[in-house]
Amino acid sequence: MSRRAGILEFAVLGLLRESPMHGYELRKRLNTSLGVFRAFSYGTLYPCLKTLVANGWLIEEPGVAADGTPAAPLTGRRAKIVYRLTADGKEHFEELLSQTGPDAYEDEHFAARFAFFGQTSRDVRMRVLEGRRSRLEERLEKMSASLARTRERLDDYTLELQRHGMESVEREVRWLNELIESERAGRVLKDSASSGPAQQNTVSGSSGGLPRRGDSTAPDTSDDTAM
């Protein structure tokens, strides 16, 4: 399984843990709640769902037709398939939540993991945050060394781009420092008990003392096709 496919499976299981959904709704929630998945298509989601069903982590249930009425075999109306998390699927997702290996610190995987921090134990959140911070500090050190070696050979615009990249990483390190401090102090958001991952932007924060950021995501306005 590719790394991106693994991240998608993780996110699908996490969203379906909140409530059953049909394919279009699931895709919409992935797009609006987890920015890392904005570019993926139904052609990516379909195989993922089929794999999860084959593994016994999801079950398919008949939904309703596009006009909202129950679909009957002879009406010709297409029914949406609703996907529901099984007990085995919930157990598997909880196993994934507990993992804190190096993959959890990478850009896309960290974004997905962070979106489900509200369902993650505090000690695991701390390990993921600290691992991500260490990874970015290593990245900053390499970027700084590279810039020092090549500064004289770069034109002004390329140099400015390099500086912009470093500043972006530095901002995230400062943000992670705030999150880690909040976790250590045991601070929690007032609405952490009612906020789920699908109601949060990937970097907007979730339960466990995470500072809020503005949610700049836009709703998906694509046509509602049956899945």
Side-chain angles (χ1 to χ4, degrees):
M1 180 192 303
S2 69
R3 176 179 294 176
R4 187 168 177 81
I7 298 171
L8 179 58
E9 288 191 3
F10 171 82
V12 167
L13 292 171
L15 289 176
L16 291 178
R17 187 186 186 190
E18 180 185 341
S19 65
M21 301 181 204
H22 56 72
Y24 170 76
E25 182 183 6
L26 186 57
R27 176 177 179 263
K28 185 175 181 180
R29 300 286 282 275
L30 286 165
N31 284 341
T32 57
S33 303
L34 304 174
V36 67
F37 296 111
R38 288 195 185 106
F40 90 105
S41 65
Y42 282 123
T44 304
L45 182 57
Y46 268 124
C48 174
L49 291 170
K50 296 302 180 184
T51 297
L52 295 176
V53 170
N55 287 340
W57 297 330
L58 302 181
I59 58 173
E60 296 177 332
E61 298 176 339
V64 296
D67 60 4
T69 61
L74 300 180
T75 62
R77 291 193 295 265
R78 296 180 63 193
K80 293 182 175 69
I81 296 173
V82 174
Y83 296 90
R84 183 184 298 273
L85 194 66
T86 65
D88 287 343
K90 181 179 180 181
E91 182 178 348
H92 179 62
F93 179 67
E94 289 173 350
E95 290 176 1
L96 295 176
L97 278 180
S98 68
Q99 296 176 5
T100 58
D103 281 352
Y105 315 147
E106 299 299 335
D107 295 347
E108 290 187 345
H109 204 151
F110 173 76
R113 288 297 303 269
F114 189 85
F116 294 98
F117 263 20
Q119 303 181 44
T120 306
S121 65
R122 186 176 178 184
D123 61 322
V124 171
R125 291 197 302 261
M126 283 293 294
R127 288 198 295 271
V128 173
L129 290 172
E130 290 175 341
R132 173 66 174 175
R133 181 175 63 180
S134 295
R135 181 62 50 86
L136 291 183
E137 287 173 342
E138 292 173 3
R139 187 181 299 176
L140 269 176
E141 185 176 345
K142 292 178 181 178
M143 293 172 72
S144 179
S146 176
L147 185 61
R149 289 194 306 269
T150 61
R151 181 185 300 272
E152 299 302 323
R153 300 195 300 270
L154 299 178
D155 62 51
D156 290 343
Y157 293 102
T158 304
L159 184 60
E160 190 62 29
L161 184 61
Q162 295 286 336
R163 288 173 175 163
H164 174 70
M166 290 184 63
E167 289 172 358
S168 297
V169 177
E170 289 169 348
R171 281 195 300 272
E172 185 172 349
V173 170
R174 290 194 297 270
W175 175 67
L176 289 167
N177 286 335
E178 293 175 10
L179 300 181
I180 291 169
E181 181 182 351
S182 293
E183 291 287 349
R184 287 175 175 164
R187 293 194 291 270
V188 296
L189 295 178
K190 292 180 180 179
D191 60 349
S192 62
S194 59
S195 296
Q199 298 168 326
Q200 309 279 343
N201 176 266
T202 301
V203 295
S204 295
S206 51
S207 67
L210 309 183
R212 285 193 179 279
R213 299 292 187 272
D215 187 345
S216 59
T217 56
D220 187 338
T221 57
S222 58
D223 292 338
D224 186 353
T225 54
M227 263 188 102

